Amino acid sequence: MKWKNQEEVKMKLGFIGLGIMGKPMSKNLIKAGHELVVFDVNKSAIDELVVAGAIAAKSGADVASQCDTIITMLPNSPHIHSAVFGENGIAETAKAGTVLIDMSSIDPVVSKNMGAQLEEKGIEMLDAPVSGGEPKAVDGTLSVMVGGKKDLFDKYYDILMNMASSVVYVGELGSGNVAKLANQIVVAVNIAAVAEALTFAKKAGTDPELVYQAIRGGLAGSTVMDVKAPMMLEGNYKPGFRIELHIKDLNNALNAAHSINSPVPLTAQMMEVMQFLKSEGHDKDDHDSIVKYYEKIAGTSIVKEK
């Protein structure tokens, strides 16, 4: 069942950040019947949403002057901080009682600090980062991890479900981004383990594709393996999630972990692997290109011969 509540409520919503993820997410909200006021620094993105039925705004402040609920989907911590507290930002015109739902993937420490500042103005906040990439943003099947007050989560659950197939409450403000960073740590290490294992198989003289087929049904099997191993074997590095974005997430994970004295040695090692890939010009490639690091140091390639 898609909806938690019996009656779906249509709302006037603000949406700031119409990039690779934000554009399809906002379109899904329009398809669900919500009235959307949108803003992005890219005017063509705004124009595309207007064609889809949205109302164009001139700035974040303009959005906040028209909407009591605002969703943001921006690249990183500095961008969301600027969108909220910068010139012509949300905080300039947002009224007490406004709710900000930040769906960006940022440092949870920043989420908590922003929430505290907004609370002084009577503005409430949820952090609700997503997992699933552009394809799931398009078809509305993202996974959303939400932090903030439980009553706010309950109020906005249905709206978030217009963009997702899973919306899970994980605790106080900042917890959503903690969950997202935990997800990114697991994904990075998992991709590396698959790449390392298949490179080992090739170096040992065994067909890595047959090794993949042999182990995928056992304990080693995972969603990551089933998505990324075939791409590695095909030499397909077309980005679903770019190395440069995973670097951003791991940097936030390292900063957050260090702030609470939580050791994350595997995360640190994966950051160095990805920095190597960036130095080799692979920062725009999919994160399955982690296999290129292993191929480089092993002096082999696991790509199937055509």
Side-chain angles (χ1 to χ4, degrees):
M1 185 173 179
K2 182 81 170 172
W3 305 107
K4 184 176 182 179
N5 298 323
Q6 290 299 313
E7 260 184 52
E8 182 187 344
V9 178
K10 309 298 183 184
M11 295 185 69
K12 184 174 185 179
L13 306 169
F15 202 110
I16 299 173
L18 306 173
I20 290 173
M21 298 292 288
K23 188 185 296 182
M25 290 165 66
S26 57
K27 286 181 178 179
N28 283 331
L29 288 171
I30 293 170
K31 289 174 187 174
H34 302 292
E35 184 179 1
L36 230 62
V37 180
V38 299
F39 175 71
D40 192 277
V41 293
N42 180 0
K43 187 178 183 301
S44 65
I46 298 176
D47 293 341
E48 185 176 336
L49 262 296
V50 169
V51 170
I55 299 165
K58 298 176 182 177
S59 66
D62 189 16
V63 172
S65 70
Q66 300 182 56
C67 304
D68 294 331
T69 302
I70 303 163
I71 297 170
T72 48
M73 187 63 177
L74 296 164
N76 206 353
S77 305
H79 305 93
I80 180 62
H81 193 275
S82 176
V84 176
F85 298 111
E87 186 177 357
N88 292 319
I90 293 167
E92 280 191 10
T93 57
K95 303 175 288 293
T98 296
V99 175
L100 172 65
I101 304 173
D102 180 34
M103 303 189 75
S104 318
S105 295
I106 67 172
D107 187 333
V109 175
V110 174
S111 290
K112 289 180 181 180
N113 290 341
M114 285 179 53
Q117 287 180 263
L118 290 171
E119 193 171 26
E120 294 175 3
K121 298 175 177 288
I123 300 167
E124 303 217 67
M125 178 176 170
L126 293 172
D127 68 316
V130 306
S131 178
E134 183 182 7
K136 290 187 177 292
V138 171
D139 62 22
T141 58
L142 292 165
S143 294
V144 186
M145 299 144 267
V146 188
K149 294 178 180 177
K150 183 61 166 57
D151 61 334
L152 276 184
F153 168 80
D154 291 338
K155 180 178 179 180
Y156 289 100
Y157 175 89
D158 285 352
I159 288 173
L160 294 173
M161 281 295 288
N162 287 139
M163 301 173 279
S165 60
S166 170
V167 176
V168 178
Y169 179 72
V170 288
E172 64 181 17
L173 186 64
S175 298
N177 275 299
V178 169
K180 175 60 187 287
L181 295 180
N183 179 84
Q184 296 304 80
I185 290 170
V186 172
V187 170
V189 175
N190 204 336
I191 293 174
V194 172
E196 186 171 302
L198 297 184
T199 305
F200 158 70
K202 179 63 181 286
K203 196 77 173 179
T206 305
D207 186 338
E209 183 169 21
L210 296 180
V211 170
Y212 160 58
Q213 294 297 341
I215 68 176
R216 63 187 292 262
L219 189 58
S222 67
T223 300
V224 167
M225 179 180 283
D226 281 339
V227 172
K228 300 302 178 182
M231 292 177 66
M232 294 176 189
L233 292 164
E234 292 164 10
N236 174 13
Y237 313 113
K238 182 180 178 181
F241 190 77
R242 300 190 302 275
I243 286 287
E244 63 181 355
L245 293 177
H246 216 139
I247 286 174
K248 180 264 290 188
D249 287 340
L250 294 189
N251 188 54
N252 282 334
L254 289 166
N255 288 339
H258 293 163
S259 73
I260 56 171
N261 298 318
S262 178
V264 283
L266 292 178
T267 305
Q269 187 169 357
M270 287 313 306
M271 174 63 97
E272 295 307 312
V273 170
M274 291 188 189
Q275 290 293 342
F276 165 80
L277 292 166
K278 181 180 178 181
S279 75
E280 293 280 300
H282 300 302
D283 50 318
K284 305 293 184 186
D285 290 344
D286 187 80
H287 50 183
D288 78 309
S289 63
I290 286 170
V291 72
K292 286 180 173 289
Y293 168 80
Y294 288 97
E295 291 177 328
K296 179 92 169 181
I297 61 175
T300 190
S301 171
I302 70 166
V303 178
K304 295 182 291 187
E305 293 183 10
K306 303 296 183 185

